[in-house]
Amino acid sequence: MANSPHGGVLKDLFARDAPRQSELLAEAETLPALTLTERHLCDLELILNGGFSPLEGFMTEKDFTSVVESLRLADGALFSMPITLDVDQKQIDDLGIKPGAKITLRDLRDDRNLAILTVEDVYRPDKTNEAVKVFGSDDDTHPGVKHLFNVAKEFYVGGKLEAIQRLEHYDFLELRFSPAELRAHFNKLGWQKVVAFQTRNPMHRAHRELTVRAARSQQANVLIHPVVGLTKPGDIDHFTRVRVYKALLPRYPNGMGALALLPLAMRMGGPREALWHAVIRKNHGATHFIVGRDHAGPGKNKNGKDHYGPYDAQHLVQQYQEELGIKMVEFQEMIYIPDRDEYMPANEIPEGTRTLNISGTELRHRLRTGKEIPAWFSYPEVVKVLREQNPLPREKGFTVFLTGYQNSGKDNIARALQVTLNQDGGRPVSMLLGETVRHELSQELGFTRKDRDLNISRIAFVASELTKAGAAVIAAPIAPFEDARRQARESVERNGNFFLIHVATPLEYCEKTDRRGVYAKARAGEIKGFTGVDDPYEAPVNPDLVVDLEKQNVRSIVHEIILLLEGRGLLDRF
Ligand SMILES: Nc1ncnc2c1ncn2[C@@H]1O[C@H](COP(=O)(O)OS(=O)(=O)O)[C@@H](OP(=O)(O)O)[C@H]1O
């Protein structure tokens, strides 16, 4: 049997309200609707599916105050994290949010109506007090505090929810289990004792060893229960992490492990968060919960010190585990002993024993540079997933952006560069010549400053997307304005390298060698606002390379560009 839910009853509001679904759907259409943020959605999903039992809605002022001050709901049930729905004055006015009113809660991603909230109260929280009591300080280097002060709106709305429909997910559906589904799964497998492991990071061998040890010590099975809602800014995306967990799972002995994803919005609240995590795992049927060193820690505060002591979280969970009815398993750091080719808990290693470790920084460095990651540290199938997510420079896209006067030679350089890159292979090469773009993307545009800027921003958008997809992009518009070129760089650099090449062939030379007579037409006034004739060209302030076709030939210019690309490792073969 899975562990009993917190408070004795799983508050699965979907199951409770399913018989009235069509009625609620119709009613929701008639009510004012509040569009929820990503963070609200995470909270809502876990309220509606019972992950936050005994909650049945967003906290009223009474519950909120009680949770903040004493880690308990007003009725005395343990609950360490405020679960609140924040709104601003305009939303209150526009939607008529007041006690007794009903509001539809809507998904911002697809506009579906998810739940109906019956408002009990609307209150203005003391955010500083909330920050200090819940997170331990009002230092906004703490992501939870930062969110509270800078993102969360001024008022909270409390009230009970009625569930209309589940949030739609399109990724890893087979691994998304509601508490009821996970409980049924454990029962089907006959699992009596389940040790849950919370994580927001990729798992390596040390994690596998520690969870297996934790399970063996309790004669239990392991639930890997990673957070896939919102984690700490800068964390590895959940898509990559879930592929890692899936790769790792077969490494557990005899079907010892199960994997389920938790759509939680973490607050990085250390001890209070650990207690909250334990409640959530109990609701999902786990009997045991692993709490590690600096559990859900947010890193350093503004004085460069950790926000929480390394074992604060363990102490708090320890204090309440009896009352809560879920047993804490303390996480011991696992250290590799090369001479025995095994991992041991840090506190059991005899003094003087040779140990090995790879720090997070070192791991990131090895992933970036392609250096070996030994099998004692991480399983090859896990490393493979991480390497796919950290392509080497030679596997990444880039953009070469050539700017210069019409007939400066930029188009010839672009074509020759395309041939050279095609000869070497390795990536698709995409060409965005000024003329092609004008024909395919910007037909309706003219040559006013506004139109030129728009033309360049379209090129930048396409170049950036292609760069993201791993292509070598060669763009060659005139691009006479510095601002537009700078914005193009910013846009592409979100996805890869950007090289600005100023084809600084002098105007006189461009004009002299113009076989198509375009300049002659411009001089004759037949083309108005022509760059270099009666429209400005701003020379780039910080080009990566300046070339000049009057002094150099196309071949040598292409060679220079190739050297630039090689210098960044983009053309490395080995
Ligand atoms: N007023 C004016 N100024 C500059 N260029 C003009 C103008 N009118 C037309 N053309 C022809 O348009 C081509 C250059 O377009 P671009 O997209 O590269 O210009 S920009 O970057 O948007 O400023 C380029 O065409 P190609 O020579 O065929 O490339 C120009 O000859």
Side-chain angles (χ1 to χ4, degrees):
M1 278 291 285
N3 200 358
S4 63
H6 185 40
V9 180
L10 186 70
K11 297 292 172 80
D12 185 337
L13 309 191
F14 289 121
R16 184 196 67 190
D17 299 337
R20 295 194 301 123
Q21 194 202 28
S22 49
E23 211 177 290
L24 291 168
L25 261 175
E27 187 183 357
E29 289 297 336
T30 68
L31 299 172
L34 178 68
T35 301
L36 300 184
T37 64
E38 295 263 1
R39 158 94 162 244
H40 294 150
L41 285 172
C42 289
D43 286 354
L44 182 79
E45 182 163 13
L46 286 163
I47 299 173
L48 296 183
N49 73 13
F52 287 168
S53 294
L55 301 192
E56 291 180 47
F58 287 99
M59 290 180 184
T60 59
E61 185 167 22
K62 218 162 116 202
D63 281 330
F64 167 76
T65 308
S66 175
V67 165
V68 169
E69 299 300 328
S70 64
L71 290 80
R72 291 179 188 280
L73 295 166
D75 68 4
L78 272 176
F79 212 98
S80 49
M81 196 56 72
I83 307 297
T84 50
L85 179 61
D86 55 293
V87 292
D88 58 24
Q89 187 66 55
K90 186 167 181 321
Q91 290 170 316
I92 293 175
D93 296 341
D94 291 353
L95 306 179
I97 301 177
K98 55 174 190 274
K102 284 186 163 195
I103 310 287
T104 296
L105 300 186
R106 192 167 280 172
D107 192 330
L108 88 157
R109 303 164 308 166
D110 54 15
D111 275 343
R112 289 164 71 251
N113 294 335
L114 301 173
I116 295 176
L117 171 78
T118 302
V119 179
E120 277 174 55
D121 59 0
V122 185
Y123 54 102
R124 187 198 290 266
D126 177 345
K127 288 193 182 178
T128 303
N129 183 54
E130 181 180 349
V132 171
K133 297 271 168 56
V134 175
F135 297 118
S137 83
D138 60 358
D139 172 354
D140 71 2
T141 58
H142 187 301
V145 177
K146 190 170 171 187
H147 176 92
L148 188 57
F149 289 166
N150 301 326
V151 183
K153 312 240 171 66
E154 231 178 314
F155 301 95
Y156 294 167
V157 188
K160 294 220 161 63
L161 292 168
E162 289 167 292
I164 303 179
Q165 45 190 350
R166 289 180 195 276
L167 283 80
E168 287 289 11
H169 291 290
Y170 297 95
D171 56 343
F172 307 117
L173 291 182
E174 77 285 6
L175 297 174
R176 291 183 181 270
F177 289 87
S178 70
E181 288 164 347
L182 204 49
R183 291 164 164 279
H185 188 63
F186 293 154
N187 288 345
K188 185 172 174 188
L189 295 172
W191 288 10
Q192 305 281 324
K193 292 192 209 160
V194 180
V195 180
F197 180 64
Q198 139 81 30
T199 179
R200 43 169 264 268
N201 285 310
M203 288 173 72
H204 302 289
R205 267 196 68 184
H207 303 101
R208 185 261 181 207
E209 301 306 324
L210 100 85
T211 46
V212 167
R213 264 179 187 260
R216 287 200 172 131
S217 74
Q218 307 297 325
Q219 293 173 318
N221 287 86
V222 177
L223 170 67
I224 303 169
H225 208 199
V227 173
V228 297
L230 298 174
T231 61
K232 194 174 153 191
D235 279 350
I236 295 182
D237 66 274
H238 82 269
F239 300 110
T240 305
R241 290 189 289 110
V242 176
R243 290 198 297 273
V244 162
Y245 309 134
K246 285 173 77 166
L248 180 73
L249 197 60
R251 293 283 186 166
Y252 280 81
N254 311 316
M256 176 194 262
L259 171 62
L261 311 184
L262 182 68
L264 177 72
M266 289 182 72
R267 275 62 158 166
M268 308 312 300
R272 281 215 190 213
E273 176 124 1
L275 194 54
W276 181 43
H277 286 180
V279 166
I280 296 165
R281 272 42 185 239
K282 179 174 158 74
N283 286 331
H284 284 80
T287 50
H288 296 71
F289 181 53
I290 298 173
V291 181
R293 194 181 174 281
D294 197 24
H295 188 103
K300 308 272 180 227
N301 64 18
K302 61 178 176 229
N303 302 319
K305 293 216 181 90
D306 282 339
H307 278 275
Y308 307 112
Y311 300 105
D312 290 1
Q314 287 185 353
H315 293 149
L316 194 74
V317 178
Q318 179 95 47
Q319 196 182 323
Y320 289 107
Q321 61 172 347
E322 198 86 4
E323 178 181 348
L324 203 54
I326 182 166
K327 193 162 182 274
M328 179 179 78
V329 184
E330 285 170 37
F331 172 123
Q332 269 299 328
E333 199 186 345
M334 300 296 287
I335 308 277
Y336 183 65
I337 316 287
D339 297 333
R340 297 171 58 172
D341 187 24
E342 67 177 19
Y343 278 81
M344 277 179 77
N347 63 344
E348 289 175 23
I349 299 174
E351 214 165 296
T353 309
R354 198 164 70 92
T355 62
L356 285 179
N357 192 20
I358 292 181
S359 68
T361 313
E362 174 63 17
L363 175 65
R364 284 189 288 278
H365 174 70
R366 290 186 186 209
L367 285 169
R368 261 200 315 275
T369 54
K371 290 215 178 81
E372 197 214 340
I373 295 168
W376 64 259
F377 178 78
S378 201
Y379 294 110
E381 54 271 37
V382 166
V383 174
K384 182 168 173 283
V385 173
L386 294 175
R387 289 212 189 281
E388 281 162 6
Q389 204 49 32
N390 289 274
L392 296 173
R394 67 164 178 261
E395 296 157 340
K396 285 192 192 156
F398 60 84
T399 291
V400 174
F401 191 104
L402 300 150
T403 168
Y405 289 117
Q406 197 269 338
N407 199 42
S408 58
K410 59 185 171 53
D411 291 20
N412 289 343
I413 297 165
R415 287 196 192 91
L417 180 61
Q418 179 190 32
V419 169
T420 308
L421 292 174
N422 273 337
Q423 164 186 281
D424 289 350
R427 299 179 180 79
V429 182
S430 293
M431 287 283 271
L432 298 170
L433 292 181
E435 187 189 5
T436 325
V437 173
R438 287 263 167 196
H439 187 256
E440 300 294 340
L441 282 180
S442 293
Q443 255 184 25
E444 87 288 12
L445 298 184
F447 289 88
T448 59
R449 165 115 200 205
K450 193 163 159 252
D451 279 7
R452 288 180 197 260
D453 284 352
L454 183 54
N455 184 41
I456 300 305
S457 87
R458 288 177 185 172
I459 293 174
F461 172 74
V462 174
S464 181
E465 289 298 310
L466 288 168
T467 299
K468 181 160 80 185
V473 183
I474 306 169
I478 296 177
F481 299 114
E482 181 67 11
D483 252 7
R485 291 186 303 247
R486 188 181 40 74
Q487 283 172 26
R489 181 189 285 277
E490 276 170 21
S491 159
V492 173
E493 282 184 344
R494 272 180 233 128
N495 293 313
N497 276 295
F498 178 91
F499 301 93
L500 184 68
I501 318 286
H502 182 194
V503 184
T505 312
L507 181 64
E508 301 70 46
Y509 187 84
C510 301
E511 206 166 339
K512 197 168 71 191
T513 56
D514 173 21
R515 294 217 177 96
R516 286 161 49 199
V518 187
Y519 281 98
K521 279 192 190 153
R523 293 283 174 206
E526 288 169 38
I527 308 175
K528 297 263 185 283
F530 197 83
T531 307
V533 176
D534 54 352
D535 216 56
Y537 178 85
E538 299 171 0
V541 179
N542 281 318
D544 296 283
L545 188 65
V546 181
V547 298
D548 177 347
L549 209 72
E550 190 180 26
K551 299 195 186 107
Q552 300 166 274
N553 60 35
V554 170
R555 191 179 305 284
S556 70
I557 292 172
V558 167
H559 189 61
E560 276 196 61
I561 298 174
I562 292 289
L563 287 177
L564 193 61
L565 300 174
E566 271 177 351
R568 299 281 183 93
L570 293 163
L571 305 180
D572 283 357
R573 277 280 166 264
F574 307 101

